[in-house]
Amino acid sequence: QQKVQQSPESLIVPEGGMASLNCTFSDRNSQYFWWYRQHSGEGPKALMSIFSNGDKKEGRFTAHLNKASLHVSLHIKDSQPSDSALYFCAVSNSNNRIFFGDGTQLVVKP
Amino acid sequence: DPKIIQKPKYLVAVTGSEKILICEQYLGHNAMYWYRQSAKKPLEFMFSYSYQKLMDNQTASSRFQPQSSKKNHLDLQITALKPDDSATYFCASSQDRGLGQLYFGEGSKLTVL
């Protein structure tokens, strides 16, 4: 069974700082990787996806995937207080099942 | 306009009773899911449906029964409620099962006394 682990559990960064979130997965046949963000009182919303090894940049957000090391990360540049949320890594394997990590709680302090 | 509607948003139940959580999606998606979120498990997969057929069931207890009366509906019936069932239940959908982005509803927060 796929295991998806996120670190750190919680992270505090100053406004304008860089936040780095990590995710490891166990199934080498994993195909699709997503980051979701959940603000308090809302449902999770997809932030970005990455399917190929390397970096993918969308605005202030950069995802990095290294399938060989079973690792995907999310980096948030110039963090804003509105980025404060619970971030989930989601991994889809070859059986089309989606597995979520336990989340990283990000707090951006003004 | 919300594309995934969950009802009710909040509900309180007594131990031993039964509740039904409603979910409708208006995205034209073929796959629907239920997830549970609590302090113990931030986002726990429960069920997935594809074209109204049950594809995955990760819920050990038969007290949880999904019901799909139409392609865009996936309700969740919970019987013999226990305080441990207290959680926020999220419905989600995707174009096809396991592929692409999941769209989540706003959740139904259940408190069992």
Side-chain angles (χ1 to χ4, degrees):
Chain A
Q1 170 107 334
Q2 169 92 270
K3 282 185 174 26
V4 179
Q5 295 184 297
Q6 290 186 241
S7 62
E9 280 186 24
S10 61
L11 181 61
I12 300 174
V13 299
E15 184 174 355
M18 171 78 84
S20 294
L21 289 66
N22 296 295
C23 175
T24 58
F25 52 96
S26 59
D27 185 349
R28 290 192 177 277
N29 294 318
S30 298
Q31 297 181 314
Y32 307 108
F33 306 84
W34 288 84
W35 285 97
Y36 286 80
R37 180 166 73 177
Q38 183 181 22
H39 285 108
S40 182
E42 299 179 4
K45 290 184 173 65
L47 194 56
M48 64 187 298
S49 63
I50 186 164
F51 302 152
S52 306
N53 282 330
D55 291 336
K56 180 179 179 183
K57 186 177 178 188
E58 291 185 359
R60 296 185 294 108
F61 299 86
T62 299
H64 175 79
L65 174 62
N66 184 330
K67 288 187 183 180
S69 59
L70 303 173
H71 182 258
V72 59
S73 59
L74 178 70
H75 305 275
I76 307 172
K77 190 173 96 170
D78 187 23
S79 296
Q80 301 297 306
S82 57
D83 294 329
S84 296
L86 184 58
Y87 288 77
F88 290 103
C89 168
V91 180
S92 184
N93 68 3
S94 53
N95 292 327
N96 289 352
R97 293 183 68 192
I98 303 171
F99 297 83
F100 280 82
D102 283 350
T104 292
Q105 183 70 55
L106 173 65
V107 174
V108 180
K109 291 214 163 178
Chain B
D1 288 338
K3 302 295 187 192
I4 299 184
I5 297 173
Q6 288 191 242
K7 296 176 190 175
K9 193 167 173 65
Y10 301 98
L11 63 166
V12 178
V14 296
T15 297
S17 66
E18 171 183 315
K19 290 291 181 187
I20 295 180
L21 309 182
I22 307 293
C23 178
E24 304 172 342
Q25 57 95 357
Y26 296 95
L27 293 162
H29 288 166
N30 300 314
M32 295 186 72
Y33 311 79
W34 276 104
Y35 285 83
R36 175 168 55 192
Q37 187 170 51
S38 65
K40 289 180 191 174
K41 188 73 181 172
L43 203 57
E44 180 185 5
F45 170 78
M46 298 181 75
F47 301 98
S48 71
Y49 267 66
S50 181
Y51 293 94
Q52 290 188 268
K53 288 186 182 175
L54 178 66
M55 302 302 291
D56 286 303
N57 177 359
Q58 286 293 299
T59 305
S61 173
S62 59
R63 297 187 299 107
F64 295 85
Q65 291 292 325
Q67 299 167 345
S68 180
S69 59
K70 298 182 200 177
K71 183 185 168 188
N72 68 328
H73 280 233
L74 186 63
D75 300 336
L76 181 64
Q77 180 184 36
I78 315 174
T79 58
L81 280 161
K82 302 178 180 180
D84 257 1
D85 297 330
S86 298
T88 300
Y89 291 80
F90 287 102
C91 176
S93 71
S94 64
Q95 186 60 52
D96 292 293
R97 187 176 74 90
L99 300 176
Q101 178 180 335
L102 285 180
Y103 292 80
F104 285 83
E106 294 297 296
S108 291
K109 185 172 182 179
L110 171 65
T111 302
V112 183
L113 303 175

PDB file of all heavy atoms in Angstrom, chain A residues 61-75:
ATOM      1  N   PHE A  61       4.994  29.788  -6.739  1.00  0.00           N
ATOM      2  CA  PHE A  61       5.045  28.389  -6.334  1.00  0.00           C
ATOM      3  C   PHE A  61       5.892  27.569  -7.307  1.00  0.00           C
ATOM      4  O   PHE A  61       5.722  27.676  -8.525  1.00  0.00           O
ATOM      5  CB  PHE A  61       3.628  27.802  -6.283  1.00  0.00           C
ATOM      6  CG  PHE A  61       2.730  28.495  -5.287  1.00  0.00           C
ATOM      7  CD1 PHE A  61       2.025  29.637  -5.648  1.00  0.00           C
ATOM      8  CD2 PHE A  61       2.598  28.015  -3.993  1.00  0.00           C
ATOM      9  CE1 PHE A  61       1.200  30.289  -4.737  1.00  0.00           C
ATOM     10  CE2 PHE A  61       1.776  28.654  -3.085  1.00  0.00           C
ATOM     11  CZ  PHE A  61       1.081  29.790  -3.451  1.00  0.00           C
ATOM     12  N   THR A  62       6.796  26.755  -6.739  1.00  0.00           N
ATOM     13  CA  THR A  62       7.601  25.847  -7.546  1.00  0.00           C
ATOM     14  C   THR A  62       7.502  24.453  -6.952  1.00  0.00           C
ATOM     15  O   THR A  62       7.756  24.267  -5.761  1.00  0.00           O
ATOM     16  CB  THR A  62       9.084  26.277  -7.580  1.00  0.00           C
ATOM     17  OG1 THR A  62       9.174  27.590  -8.158  1.00  0.00           O
ATOM     18  CG2 THR A  62       9.913  25.309  -8.416  1.00  0.00           C
ATOM     19  N   ALA A  63       7.112  23.507  -7.802  1.00  0.00           N
ATOM     20  CA  ALA A  63       7.098  22.106  -7.385  1.00  0.00           C
ATOM     21  C   ALA A  63       8.304  21.420  -7.982  1.00  0.00           C
ATOM     22  O   ALA A  63       8.732  21.740  -9.096  1.00  0.00           O
ATOM     23  CB  ALA A  63       5.813  21.429  -7.840  1.00  0.00           C
ATOM     24  N   HIS A  64       8.856  20.482  -7.226  1.00  0.00           N
ATOM     25  CA  HIS A  64      10.012  19.724  -7.702  1.00  0.00           C
ATOM     26  C   HIS A  64       9.716  18.245  -7.510  1.00  0.00           C
ATOM     27  O   HIS A  64       9.245  17.828  -6.453  1.00  0.00           O
ATOM     28  CB  HIS A  64      11.266  20.122  -6.918  1.00  0.00           C
ATOM     29  CG  HIS A  64      12.462  19.291  -7.265  1.00  0.00           C
ATOM     30  ND1 HIS A  64      13.202  19.520  -8.410  1.00  0.00           N
ATOM     31  CD2 HIS A  64      13.013  18.225  -6.654  1.00  0.00           C
ATOM     32  CE1 HIS A  64      14.169  18.625  -8.477  1.00  0.00           C
ATOM     33  NE2 HIS A  64      14.078  17.839  -7.424  1.00  0.00           N
ATOM     34  N   LEU A  65      10.000  17.458  -8.537  1.00  0.00           N
ATOM     35  CA  LEU A  65       9.757  16.013  -8.481  1.00  0.00           C
ATOM     36  C   LEU A  65      11.028  15.256  -8.799  1.00  0.00           C
ATOM     37  O   LEU A  65      11.701  15.557  -9.792  1.00  0.00           O
ATOM     38  CB  LEU A  65       8.654  15.619  -9.477  1.00  0.00           C
ATOM     39  CG  LEU A  65       8.369  14.127  -9.642  1.00  0.00           C
ATOM     40  CD1 LEU A  65       7.874  13.503  -8.333  1.00  0.00           C
ATOM     41  CD2 LEU A  65       7.351  13.894 -10.758  1.00  0.00           C
ATOM     42  N   ASN A  66      11.330  14.262  -7.966  1.00  0.00           N
ATOM     43  CA  ASN A  66      12.441  13.351  -8.225  1.00  0.00           C
ATOM     44  C   ASN A  66      11.911  11.944  -7.971  1.00  0.00           C
ATOM     45  O   ASN A  66      11.858  11.488  -6.831  1.00  0.00           O
ATOM     46  CB  ASN A  66      13.628  13.673  -7.314  1.00  0.00           C
ATOM     47  CG  ASN A  66      14.833  12.810  -7.618  1.00  0.00           C
ATOM     48  OD1 ASN A  66      14.697  11.659  -8.066  1.00  0.00           O
ATOM     49  ND2 ASN A  66      16.017  13.339  -7.367  1.00  0.00           N
ATOM     50  N   LYS A  67      11.487  11.293  -9.038  1.00  0.00           N
ATOM     51  CA  LYS A  67      10.868   9.972  -8.884  1.00  0.00           C
ATOM     52  C   LYS A  67      11.866   8.944  -8.367  1.00  0.00           C
ATOM     53  O   LYS A  67      11.505   8.042  -7.627  1.00  0.00           O
ATOM     54  CB  LYS A  67      10.274   9.508 -10.210  1.00  0.00           C
ATOM     55  CG  LYS A  67       9.024  10.257 -10.609  1.00  0.00           C
ATOM     56  CD  LYS A  67       8.394   9.629 -11.857  1.00  0.00           C
ATOM     57  CE  LYS A  67       7.189  10.415 -12.316  1.00  0.00           C
ATOM     58  NZ  LYS A  67       6.577   9.815 -13.519  1.00  0.00           N
ATOM     59  N   ALA A  68      13.120   9.080  -8.755  1.00  0.00           N
ATOM     60  CA  ALA A  68      14.136   8.104  -8.335  1.00  0.00           C
ATOM     61  C   ALA A  68      14.314   8.106  -6.817  1.00  0.00           C
ATOM     62  O   ALA A  68      14.502   7.060  -6.196  1.00  0.00           O
ATOM     63  CB  ALA A  68      15.465   8.392  -9.026  1.00  0.00           C
ATOM     64  N   SER A  69      14.228   9.311  -6.242  1.00  0.00           N
ATOM     65  CA  SER A  69      14.372   9.397  -4.786  1.00  0.00           C
ATOM     66  C   SER A  69      13.009   9.442  -4.087  1.00  0.00           C
ATOM     67  O   SER A  69      12.940   9.668  -2.879  1.00  0.00           O
ATOM     68  CB  SER A  69      15.212  10.611  -4.393  1.00  0.00           C
ATOM     69  OG  SER A  69      14.630  11.790  -4.853  1.00  0.00           O
ATOM     70  N   LEU A  70      11.939   9.205  -4.857  1.00  0.00           N
ATOM     71  CA  LEU A  70      10.583   9.114  -4.292  1.00  0.00           C
ATOM     72  C   LEU A  70      10.221  10.378  -3.511  1.00  0.00           C
ATOM     73  O   LEU A  70       9.690  10.309  -2.398  1.00  0.00           O
ATOM     74  CB  LEU A  70      10.472   7.863  -3.388  1.00  0.00           C
ATOM     75  CG  LEU A  70      10.811   6.528  -4.047  1.00  0.00           C
ATOM     76  CD1 LEU A  70      10.833   5.420  -3.000  1.00  0.00           C
ATOM     77  CD2 LEU A  70       9.809   6.186  -5.143  1.00  0.00           C
ATOM     78  N   HIS A  71      10.523  11.516  -4.123  1.00  0.00           N
ATOM     79  CA  HIS A  71      10.380  12.769  -3.386  1.00  0.00           C
ATOM     80  C   HIS A  71       9.764  13.847  -4.260  1.00  0.00           C
ATOM     81  O   HIS A  71      10.101  13.990  -5.442  1.00  0.00           O
ATOM     82  CB  HIS A  71      11.770  13.219  -2.910  1.00  0.00           C
ATOM     83  CG  HIS A  71      11.759  14.471  -2.108  1.00  0.00           C
ATOM     84  ND1 HIS A  71      12.132  15.698  -2.632  1.00  0.00           N
ATOM     85  CD2 HIS A  71      11.410  14.694  -0.819  1.00  0.00           C
ATOM     86  CE1 HIS A  71      12.023  16.621  -1.689  1.00  0.00           C
ATOM     87  NE2 HIS A  71      11.581  16.041  -0.585  1.00  0.00           N
ATOM     88  N   VAL A  72       8.833  14.566  -3.659  1.00  0.00           N
ATOM     89  CA  VAL A  72       8.256  15.730  -4.318  1.00  0.00           C
ATOM     90  C   VAL A  72       8.215  16.865  -3.294  1.00  0.00           C
ATOM     91  O   VAL A  72       8.021  16.613  -2.104  1.00  0.00           O
ATOM     92  CB  VAL A  72       6.858  15.415  -4.914  1.00  0.00           C
ATOM     93  CG1 VAL A  72       5.888  14.961  -3.853  1.00  0.00           C
ATOM     94  CG2 VAL A  72       6.302  16.590  -5.687  1.00  0.00           C
ATOM     95  N   SER A  73       8.459  18.059  -3.746  1.00  0.00           N
ATOM     96  CA  SER A  73       8.476  19.188  -2.814  1.00  0.00           C
ATOM     97  C   SER A  73       7.737  20.381  -3.406  1.00  0.00           C
ATOM     98  O   SER A  73       7.489  20.452  -4.619  1.00  0.00           O
ATOM     99  CB  SER A  73       9.912  19.565  -2.449  1.00  0.00           C
ATOM    100  OG  SER A  73      10.646  19.899  -3.604  1.00  0.00           O
ATOM    101  N   LEU A  74       7.384  21.288  -2.535  1.00  0.00           N
ATOM    102  CA  LEU A  74       6.729  22.537  -2.926  1.00  0.00           C
ATOM    103  C   LEU A  74       7.463  23.681  -2.243  1.00  0.00           C
ATOM    104  O   LEU A  74       7.689  23.640  -1.032  1.00  0.00           O
ATOM    105  CB  LEU A  74       5.261  22.534  -2.498  1.00  0.00           C
ATOM    106  CG  LEU A  74       4.474  23.811  -2.816  1.00  0.00           C
ATOM    107  CD1 LEU A  74       4.262  23.944  -4.325  1.00  0.00           C
ATOM    108  CD2 LEU A  74       3.122  23.806  -2.090  1.00  0.00           C
ATOM    109  N   HIS A  75       7.821  24.683  -3.024  1.00  0.00           N
ATOM    110  CA  HIS A  75       8.519  25.840  -2.487  1.00  0.00           C
ATOM    111  C   HIS A  75       7.682  27.078  -2.779  1.00  0.00           C
ATOM    112  O   HIS A  75       7.246  27.284  -3.917  1.00  0.00           O
ATOM    113  CB  HIS A  75       9.909  25.970  -3.107  1.00  0.00           C
ATOM    114  CG  HIS A  75      10.724  24.718  -2.942  1.00  0.00           C
ATOM    115  ND1 HIS A  75      11.455  24.460  -1.804  1.00  0.00           N
ATOM    116  CD2 HIS A  75      10.880  23.649  -3.761  1.00  0.00           C
ATOM    117  CE1 HIS A  75      12.036  23.279  -1.932  1.00  0.00           C
ATOM    118  NE2 HIS A  75      11.707  22.775  -3.101  1.00  0.00           N
TER     119      HIS A  75
END
